[in-house]
Amino acid sequence: MTNSIKEIEGMEVIFIIGSNTKETHPVIANRMIKAYRKGTKIIVADPRRVPMVKFAELFLNLRPGTDVALLNGLAHVILKEGIYNKEFIDEKTEGFNEWKASVEKFTPEYVEEITGVPSGDIIKAARLYGGSRKAGIFYTMGITQHTCGTDNVNAIANLALLTGNIGRESTGINPLRGQNNVQGSSDAGALPNVYPGYQRVDVPEIQNKFEEAWGVELSPKQGLKSTEMVPAALKGKIKALYVIGENPLVTDPNLNHTFEAFKNLEFLVVQDIFMTDTAQLADVILPAACFAEKDGTFTNTERKVQRIRKAVNPPGEAKNDTTIIMEVSKRLGYPMDYESSEEVLEEFGRVWPALQGITYKRIETQGIPWPCPTKDHPGTEYLYKGGFPRGKVHFTGVNFLPPAEITDKDYPFVLTTGRNLFQYHAGSMTRRVAPIEAHAGEAYVEINPADGERLNIKDGDIVKVLSRRGEIKIKARITNRVSKGIIFIPMHYREAAANVLTSDEALDRHVKTPEYKVSAVRIEK
Amino acid sequence: MVTITIDGKKIEIPENTTVLEAARMLDIPIPTLCHHPKLTPFGGCRMCIVEIKGIPRPVTSCTTPVSEGMEVATSTAQLEGLRKTVMELILSDHPNDCMICEKAGACTLQELAYFYGVRENRLAGERRTYTKKDGNPFIERDLEKCILCSRCVKACDEIQGVEAIDFGYRGFKSKICTSYEKDLDCEFCGQCVAVCPTGAHTGKQWAFKGRQKDIREIDTVCPYCGTGCNITLHVRKSVSGEEVVRVTSKEDTWNEGWLCVKGRFGYKFINNPDRLTKPLIRITPKDREASGVKREENSPYDSHLTPYELFREATWDEALDYVASRLKEIKEKHGADSIGGLSSARCTNEENYLFQKFIRAVIGTNNIDHCARL
Ligand code: SF4
Ligand code: SF4
Ligand code: SF4
Ligand code: FES
């Protein structure tokens, strides 16, 4: 997020696209509702009638995978009506004129054809967002889990640049990070192309810096992304995997394929708190401590580094991950001797100045958002206050390309996947919480009443959902939340895993995120 | 800005402040039951009454805005007498079963009853009787203990935007109801539980797990979504060690004490008997037939063996030596790039930092990623 969560209250307009905020980030939704009570206008763009629609001034019910068209359409209207932010564009951006030409053809009528959103609503939304100089955009996987995910993100950035809605208090672009510490894992360099702090592994000076810090030679070659490691394992190029606290056998696309790939590994280590589906294929399982059994920090979606604390002992002989990693490392001839987790954070701060000012003592009662370069720096609530780090930012023209898989006679429905309010991700934690399981323990597929009637499917019927990759049996839930021709399956349920159906080939062209939000499927009774 | 005097102390404050807020800024205690700082004022319980010079009758301080020159008295014999009567009235229709109430020790009503010394009740009369019949697995609603303060109704509406509960019926029968008195079926955020000043709303999982006095509180962060709400784990000693028995969130956290169902009620995985407690080493081949892993119709990776038939327990030394020697072997034979690491967005910054350092510096490859994309 470029803004902090608190700043939501001060926004004039909130534009939520591809985020089911009330179910996936419920307490951020509480802030949005607080803003709404003070008069903030909310626009929701989503293929599903998500709960936030209740508070929306405008609901843009677009077809899955057509976000670029919608966003370009909004830009088109803002340009045409002359409500864009000329000073901001002149001062802070480049490439405006070329980009302008690229949205020329996205008239409201043309966009209506692609997205199914009435042209009148497109114009209204453009006026609302474009007319405000204190607006925030919010998005999640509904934007990124597409073959055009990067394009979507660029189209959002263009909209913010066009209106100057970035770099001020209560004004910005706010991707909501899914998992508790997905921000922190990325910051810490659990990514194949960058060291901690987003420093590229293929830049020699940076490589040198880390070789010096860690006292070893490092590889200058970018590594494989998780979505590339699985096919590499299938081909026998990856022989061993060490997996900590992840469950790709529920969360990865095309699970049949993933199963084969994991089985093909010569050696698989899984370090986890439960016997997950992935652990069942392991050669060694190492029992780890959960969040309540260790000290450390998590970084939330607003970049705030917060303290977690040990409350109870890990069960049996389970150990915390830091200890286990240090033990393995020692055995491989590279002793890592950290007295405490705080020492690790200190080292992290030495290689990445944005964290340098953060100590456990400073975040004893309240977290600090990075960048926080010095011990007396208060942290950074919103980004780009004094301009952009690399000078001017560029408008990036994006064209609309349809999703990789389009519906046809054999697979006439669009499947979109996501989370629900009660369960979490692969469910290894929430599905072991009795009340949650009692209340939301059953997998379901959301089907529009008209489709239900046509296929003679009633609420509660068991149906078969098939894609080109596989099939699952699942209970039908007839609801207006989804539009005609679209179905939704939550990702949490291993016994009817939505990812049996999704594709591991339809990946974002740049960052290789799978297109979970659009697969072509068929329903049979 | 206006200047007012409370109990002889002067304070300068913005116009739209209430008398109650002003008193709290001055650290002057005024008892309240229905007031909640994050909710709009209700003015129903009348515990917060004060005397204002020039106004003949006591007024409720939680609903009265300050005005220039106001002179307020918060504790006079008359006020305390009236407050005691209010308490007696409320308690005349209260089960008084503090002995087994979950809330005892952390109950505003109990606190005030103690303070005003209300026990024998000269107003005791007919009592409301309701059967607890909610089928939901999260929230216990024991409405005989409800004092109709409206906090839960306001939290559900103003904060959560759900409106699952509201006042129903009138007069003596007045009651907090769901529509048509159906079982509660809502977002189960538990904001209503968090704001309830009595034991009328509690968490079902909390029952008989220990009251506040036996509990150690540890502030930490919710392990689920990226919102990162601040939570407090309530830990109680039990025969089998220590156990997290409740999760709450403090009002002065950035999330203002609000949580969602996962954060508030989803903690029981911590001491779940399924937790892995010993290192395990595989004893069966991964080949489906041989290992007994069979392809279930719905689940490509299901097994008819229990996972523990696929593995044997090992000591840490054995397991760690095995991991190290196998990784070494594979690296020597196929090169560092034949090894990959998947880190976890569930783990801490420190763990992620160490693990990527391990993969890069020790294994020697950049094949490290986590599930940011999934
Ligand atoms: S749990 Fe949340 S949604 Fe349900 S009644 Fe209470 S406040 Fe309302
Ligand atoms: S249930 Fe609790 S919060 Fe709700 S009105 Fe009754 S006493 Fe107040
Ligand atoms: S309480 Fe809910 S909203 Fe808050 S961090 Fe936990 S899961 Fe997210
Ligand atoms: S606290 Fe003021 S009337 Fe209840």
Side-chain angles (χ1 to χ4, degrees):
Chain A
M1 289 173 77
T2 71
N3 299 114
S4 65
I5 295 170
K6 264 192 247 150
E7 288 168 58
I8 292 172
E9 271 176 58
M11 292 178 181
E12 281 170 9
V13 174
I14 292 174
F15 178 24
I16 307 169
I17 179 163
S19 157
N20 179 6
T21 321
K22 194 114 177 55
E23 294 194 79
T24 60
H25 295 85
V27 173
I28 292 182
N30 287 140
R31 274 298 155 141
M32 291 174 169
I33 292 170
K34 197 167 175 191
Y36 164 83
R37 305 250 181 255
K38 292 191 196 165
T40 301
K41 301 272 184 283
I42 298 176
I43 308 167
V44 175
D46 206 288
R48 288 200 302 150
R49 185 168 277 280
V50 290
M52 270 319 274
V53 170
K54 181 175 169 194
F55 308 94
E57 181 89 3
L58 269 172
F59 172 41
L60 313 176
N61 193 199
L62 79 173
R63 294 190 185 110
T66 61
D67 310 73
V68 164
L70 179 70
L71 292 160
N72 280 354
L74 295 175
H76 176 102
V77 177
I78 292 172
L79 281 164
K80 205 169 106 199
E81 306 220 333
I83 51 177
Y84 55 97
N85 191 335
K86 200 164 169 314
E87 302 92 274
F88 183 90
I89 295 169
D90 288 347
E91 221 175 281
K92 305 223 166 122
T93 72
E94 293 172 333
F96 175 64
N97 287 321
E98 302 90 270
W99 168 77
K100 196 173 154 187
S102 78
V103 293
E104 194 60 48
K105 69 172 185 212
F106 288 90
T107 61
E109 294 69 32
Y110 175 57
V111 174
E112 172 171 343
E113 239 170 73
I114 301 173
T115 61
V117 178
S119 55
D121 285 350
I122 296 168
I123 295 170
K124 274 191 217 152
R127 285 182 186 154
L128 208 54
Y129 179 79
S132 170
R133 293 292 176 262
K134 222 177 174 191
I137 304 183
F138 294 80
Y139 68 87
T140 52
M141 298 300 192
I143 282 296
T144 53
Q145 286 177 344
H146 286 288
T147 41
C148 57
T150 306
D151 296 344
N152 285 342
V153 171
N154 283 331
I156 287 177
N158 292 337
L159 209 54
L161 294 178
L162 180 64
T163 52
N165 273 322
I166 181 131
R168 278 172 293 121
E169 196 177 0
S170 298
T171 312
I173 302 176
N174 297 299
L176 303 177
R177 310 297 313 250
Q179 311 237 14
N180 58 330
N181 200 32
V182 62
Q183 180 71 50
S185 325
S186 307
D187 298 346
L191 292 169
N193 56 337
V194 289
Y195 293 118
Y198 309 95
Q199 309 178 66
R200 296 190 51 157
V201 297
D202 49 4
V203 175
E205 299 85 78
I206 296 175
Q207 188 192 334
N208 288 341
K209 170 178 147 184
F210 279 91
E211 287 183 339
E212 213 157 285
W214 295 343
V216 285
E217 265 180 50
L218 296 169
S219 163
K221 214 173 102 203
Q222 288 204 7
L224 298 178
K225 302 182 173 73
S226 63
T227 40
E228 293 168 330
M229 282 188 217
V230 175
L234 200 60
K235 286 203 207 91
K237 289 209 178 108
I238 288 276
K239 303 277 184 203
L241 271 182
Y242 191 150
V243 181
I244 297 187
E246 296 236 316
N247 193 4
L249 274 114
V250 176
T251 60
D252 271 24
N254 193 355
L255 289 180
N256 291 336
H257 213 159
T258 312
F259 179 84
E260 293 304 327
F262 271 74
K263 211 186 74 183
N264 207 27
L265 289 168
E266 266 181 37
F267 190 59
L268 173 64
V269 188
V270 172
Q271 186 167 313
D272 213 312
I273 62 172
F274 289 114
M275 180 67 81
T276 61
D277 295 287
T278 308
Q280 290 190 35
L281 281 176
D283 294 278
V284 184
I285 302 176
L286 304 174
C290 81
F291 86 108
E293 297 150 0
K294 61 196 179 190
D295 287 302
T297 55
F298 287 159
T299 305
N300 77 349
T301 184
E302 49 177 352
R303 295 168 281 104
K304 200 192 292 171
V305 182
Q306 308 191 99
R307 236 343 221 115
I308 67 154
R309 292 182 180 83
K310 181 172 172 176
V312 288
N313 286 321
E317 295 174 21
K319 287 185 196 298
N320 67 48
D321 296 281
T322 335
T323 313
I324 305 173
I325 298 163
M326 291 199 293
E327 287 289 336
V328 179
S329 188
K330 184 168 79 191
R331 285 170 167 76
L332 285 168
Y334 186 92
M336 297 188 187
D337 286 313
Y338 299 92
E339 292 285 321
S340 64
S341 58
E342 182 163 24
E343 249 177 55
V344 182
L345 189 75
E346 274 165 23
E347 178 178 319
F348 188 179
R350 280 197 296 278
V351 298
W352 189 37
L355 282 191
Q356 200 150 23
I358 299 179
T359 60
Y360 279 14
K361 186 141 183 283
R362 287 193 68 192
I363 56 172
E364 184 63 34
T365 48
Q366 259 193 24
I368 298 178
W370 62 254
C372 175
T374 59
K375 300 271 186 287
D376 50 13
H377 191 284
T380 310
E381 295 274 325
Y382 61 93
L383 294 179
Y384 313 129
K385 190 174 187 174
F388 298 103
R390 283 181 219 110
K392 296 192 168 192
V393 261
H394 215 89
F395 278 94
T396 317
V398 278
N399 207 354
F400 169 70
L401 290 170
E405 220 177 38
I406 38 179
T407 53
D408 56 21
K409 190 163 86 318
D410 294 328
Y411 298 98
F413 282 90
V414 174
L415 162 72
T416 172
T417 69
R419 293 188 177 139
N420 64 27
L421 171 63
F422 296 93
Q423 298 284 1
Y424 199 75
H425 215 61
S428 58
M429 285 151 65
T430 46
R431 299 205 71 190
R432 287 184 172 87
V433 175
I436 290 184
E437 200 49 14
H439 185 72
E442 201 173 26
Y444 57 89
V445 49
E446 292 181 354
I447 301 174
N448 181 273
D451 290 329
E453 200 165 311
R454 195 164 48 80
L455 298 172
N456 190 25
I457 296 168
K458 285 184 296 300
D459 199 69
D461 285 356
I462 301 291
V463 296
K464 219 195 258 179
V465 182
L466 309 87
S467 80
R468 291 187 176 84
R469 269 86 39 199
E471 57 179 78
I472 57 172
K473 274 192 190 158
I474 191 166
K475 196 177 241 183
R477 188 180 279 185
I478 305 294
T479 166
N480 277 316
R481 264 205 185 192
V482 286
S483 306
K484 260 195 292 189
I486 298 168
I487 65 170
F488 169 81
I489 301 178
M491 65 178 291
H492 318 292
Y493 303 92
R494 59 185 287 281
E495 65 280 18
N499 282 328
V500 168
L501 306 168
T502 55
S503 167
D504 54 344
E505 276 159 15
L507 301 179
D508 177 90
R509 285 175 283 274
H510 306 278
V511 296
K512 310 291 178 208
T513 304
E515 188 154 50
Y516 284 159
K517 300 308 181 205
V518 187
S519 309
V521 297
R522 166 170 87 231
I523 312 174
E524 285 174 8
K525 230 185 124 173
Chain B
M1 294 298 254
V2 298
T3 308
I4 69 166
T5 318
I6 307 178
D7 294 346
K9 290 189 204 160
K10 264 201 174 39
I11 183 172
E12 209 195 345
I13 34 169
E15 257 119 287
N16 48 11
T17 321
T18 63
V19 173
L20 177 67
E21 284 162 344
R24 295 219 160 139
M25 284 177 215
L26 283 170
D27 266 334
I28 295 173
I30 297 180
T32 57
L33 274 171
C34 69
H35 174 263
H36 189 281
K38 307 283 186 224
L39 303 171
T40 56
F42 177 58
C45 75
R46 297 196 59 81
M47 279 306 281
C48 69
I49 43 174
V50 291
E51 286 169 7
I52 295 173
K53 201 168 177 191
I55 301 177
R57 250 178 300 216
V59 297
T60 49
S61 62
C62 68
T63 55
T64 309
V66 295
S67 60
E68 183 55 44
M70 206 177 233
E71 281 177 44
V72 183
T74 67
S75 180
T76 63
Q78 193 207 358
L79 287 174
E80 298 302 355
L82 284 169
R83 284 185 186 136
K84 185 165 180 184
T85 311
V86 169
M87 283 307 295
E88 282 175 329
L89 260 171
I90 292 174
L91 292 172
S92 70
D93 185 14
H94 197 81
N96 294 345
D97 63 355
C98 299
M99 293 80 108
I100 57 155
C101 183
E102 284 303 315
K103 193 80 177 191
C107 173
T108 320
L109 189 66
Q110 195 189 36
E111 237 352 80
L112 289 173
Y114 171 82
F115 187 80
Y116 287 100
V118 183
R119 180 145 199 256
E120 293 304 316
N121 204 312
R122 64 191 164 96
L123 302 170
E126 192 186 351
R127 284 238 338 259
R128 299 164 295 170
T129 46
Y130 302 125
T131 29
K132 290 185 261 179
K133 54 167 193 189
D134 245 323
N136 85 75
F138 299 101
I139 296 174
E140 189 73 79
R141 301 190 309 137
D142 183 355
L143 294 171
E144 289 177 17
K145 293 179 185 164
C146 173
I147 57 166
L148 299 169
C149 72
S150 92
R151 278 156 63 148
C152 57
V153 173
K154 283 176 184 285
C156 189
D157 172 19
E158 293 170 12
I159 305 298
Q160 202 62 15
V162 172
E163 298 160 87
I165 44 180
D166 203 348
F167 285 92
Y169 310 105
R170 279 164 182 271
F172 178 69
K173 288 206 169 119
S174 194
K175 179 181 170 192
I176 306 298
C177 297
T178 58
S179 58
Y180 303 106
E181 295 225 40
K182 286 199 288 243
D183 279 1
L184 194 58
D185 183 11
C186 58
E187 295 182 358
F188 295 111
C189 60
Q191 321 304 21
C192 51
V193 177
V195 298
C196 183
T198 72
H201 267 120
T202 54
K204 281 197 174 158
Q205 300 171 87
W206 305 349
F208 307 113
K209 281 289 187 182
R211 297 198 289 202
Q212 210 55 34
K213 67 169 180 44
D214 306 318
I215 278 176
R216 199 159 52 84
E217 294 187 3
I218 291 101
D219 293 334
T220 186
V221 178
C222 173
Y224 288 109
C225 88
T227 306
C229 297
N230 293 6
I231 60 173
T232 302
L233 300 179
H234 296 232
V235 176
R236 183 180 176 237
K237 273 211 166 51
S238 67
V239 271
S240 53
E242 292 201 308
E243 189 188 342
V244 175
V245 294
R246 177 156 58 230
V247 172
T248 57
S249 179
K250 296 182 174 149
E251 235 171 71
D252 60 357
T253 56
W254 70 260
N255 46 296
E256 305 187 332
W258 311 127
L259 297 175
C260 80
V261 60
K262 298 181 286 288
R264 198 183 298 279
F265 297 123
Y267 57 87
K268 278 237 172 142
F269 72 91
I270 299 172
N271 64 339
N272 187 291
D274 285 0
R275 284 288 300 275
L276 296 168
T277 55
K278 282 214 161 95
L280 299 171
I281 291 181
R282 171 162 224 104
I283 44 172
T284 51
K286 290 182 204 176
D287 168 63
R288 266 196 196 108
E289 313 318 314
S291 70
V293 178
K294 71 172 182 200
R295 193 190 183 83
E296 296 284 351
E297 211 171 22
N298 254 352
S299 174
Y301 37 84
D302 221 357
S303 159
H304 68 250
L305 294 178
T306 69
Y308 290 95
E309 289 172 82
L310 307 172
F311 298 89
R312 69 169 169 82
E313 289 178 354
T315 64
W316 270 106
D317 269 332
E318 186 190 4
L320 292 166
D321 288 345
Y322 182 43
V323 170
S325 67
R326 289 291 281 140
L327 289 177
K328 198 164 166 194
E329 217 175 282
I330 291 171
K331 181 177 163 180
E332 273 161 13
K333 203 153 134 213
H334 304 284
D337 285 339
S338 69
I339 300 174
L342 288 177
S343 194
S344 174
R346 326 289 301 147
C347 287
T348 63
N349 291 329
E350 292 80 359
E351 288 157 351
N352 274 286
Y353 177 87
L354 272 198
F355 189 56
Q356 63 84 34
K357 181 174 173 183
F358 169 77
I359 295 288
R360 292 194 156 110
V362 185
I363 303 291
T365 175
N366 284 313
N367 289 338
I368 167 85
D369 203 356
H370 68 285
C371 63
R373 297 174 184 84
L374 308 177

